[in-house]
Amino acid sequence: MVQLLQTDIATLWGQVGDKRFSTVVSVEYDPSSGEPIKAELASPLYRHKEE
């Protein structure tokens, strides 16, 4: 998720602003290092209701 935030923070902010949200993130890892090489949304953003 950190990598996704680093690369797509402007897009996420444009869609949810400072509101609470949930999503599923798909991550591809480098098998030799175990480090993430690609992260992307695997589901739509779900915006939580304000209470």
Side-chain angles (χ1 to χ4, degrees):
M1 185 66 189
V2 172
Q3 183 180 16
L4 181 67
L5 286 174
Q6 288 176 332
T7 58
D8 290 336
I9 190 72
T11 302
L12 289 170
W13 183 262
Q15 293 180 22
V16 296
D18 63 353
K19 307 297 185 218
R20 294 179 351 137
F21 72 96
S22 297
T23 191
V24 176
V25 177
S26 171
V27 180
E28 185 178 324
Y29 292 93
D30 179 329
S32 62
S33 69
E35 293 294 316
I37 55 174
K38 181 180 178 184
E40 61 189 9
L41 295 179
S43 72
L45 296 173
Y46 171 79
R47 291 165 194 86
H48 297 274
K49 292 182 180 178
E50 296 286 325
E51 292 187 23

